[in-house]
Amino acid sequence: LGQGVGGPLGFGLLDDLAGADQYYVGGKYPDPYDDSPGYSGFGQGAGIGPRGTANGGIGILLDGGGDDLYESDCFAHGGAYWFAAGFARDFGGNDRRIGATLTAFDGGERSEKRFVRYGVGYACHYAVSAIYDDAGDDTYFADFAGPTFAWDVAVTAIADFGGNDRYETPGHGLAAAHNAALSVLFDAAGDDVYAGRAPVAIEEQAQYHPADNRARNFGFLIDLG
């Protein structure tokens, strides 16, 4: 719950102007899911609301430049959960969004397997999120439900405007949308790699909202060059 987090009725902003920075969130408390390993994170430009209790707020992370390393566990980095909004923008540098933290919080070996569920561009339950990266050769990685994963009346996007970038997830696939959602992965330039499951693999119907037969899912992967 740090590094640009907006909780219920809250607004959180982390604004770093320059330098090669390392952002770390997680590495200590188990994540809330029994069916996957990993730690909780909740940070790095994230809007968070406790489901069914209180609507989330707005979280923003801005980084002005430099070759940055983003380590983040579950529910972290440019994401939003439960009536919330989360945004992350990096204005330059060769940035690595590697998913789970490399070490435990105390610097020692992790007791939980490295695994990111809901990370690096996700929106879940009436939420909106986006990651923007202006330049540099960047890496985006999440094991499951990310990058660019939208779930249940949600909108998420990653927009990268330059550099040779790599987008990777072994789970769900890139630009994934489920249960009346919209997901967009946009890359403007560079020799890019899309790795993992097939991108834009979405379901036609919205299982959470069967009464409204107009609800659909939309996923877009747009690469301009």
Side-chain angles (χ1 to χ4, degrees):
L1 288 171
Q3 301 173 16
V5 174
L9 296 178
F11 174 85
L13 169 67
L14 190 160
D15 186 5
D16 182 272
L17 298 182
D21 306 304
Q22 179 183 4
Y23 297 91
Y24 180 110
V25 59
K28 185 172 183 179
Y29 303 107
D31 77 19
Y33 294 98
D34 295 332
D35 59 347
S36 62
Y39 295 108
S40 287
F42 300 104
Q44 296 181 6
I48 300 293
R51 182 176 177 181
T53 302
N55 298 345
I58 301 172
I60 299 177
L61 187 156
L62 303 175
D63 186 280
D67 298 339
D68 305 308
L69 173 63
Y70 297 93
E71 299 180 55
S72 57
D73 277 290
C74 180
F75 288 110
H77 195 79
Y81 184 90
W82 193 258
F83 293 93
F87 306 97
R89 183 170 183 176
D90 194 297
F91 291 83
N94 302 320
D95 307 307
R96 292 181 292 153
R97 299 166 176 88
I98 62 172
T101 61
L102 295 174
T103 65
F105 185 74
D106 61 5
E109 185 177 352
R110 290 173 59 108
S111 60
E112 289 280 336
K113 177 183 177 182
R114 291 190 70 240
F115 190 89
V116 175
R117 180 169 179 169
Y118 289 114
V120 189
Y122 68 91
C124 185
H125 301 308
Y126 310 95
V128 59
S129 69
I131 295 175
Y132 302 96
D133 194 290
D134 290 50
D137 300 335
D138 308 305
T139 300
Y140 303 82
F141 178 87
D143 294 278
F144 189 79
T148 50
F149 178 86
W151 180 273
D152 188 23
V153 192
V155 178
T156 190
I158 291 178
D160 192 294
F161 299 103
N164 303 321
D165 308 305
R166 182 179 181 88
Y167 307 88
E168 183 174 2
T169 175
H172 277 115
L174 302 167
H178 301 267
N179 295 305
L182 168 65
S183 182
V184 179
L185 174 54
F186 172 84
D187 192 288
D191 298 328
D192 308 303
V193 175
Y194 304 91
R197 293 186 62 179
V200 202
I202 63 173
E203 299 171 347
E204 181 180 358
Q205 301 295 327
Q207 297 176 357
Y208 275 26
H209 308 279
D212 187 350
N213 60 15
R214 296 168 297 178
R216 293 292 185 270
N217 299 295
F218 298 90
F220 299 91
L221 194 160
I222 305 169
D223 191 305
L224 297 186

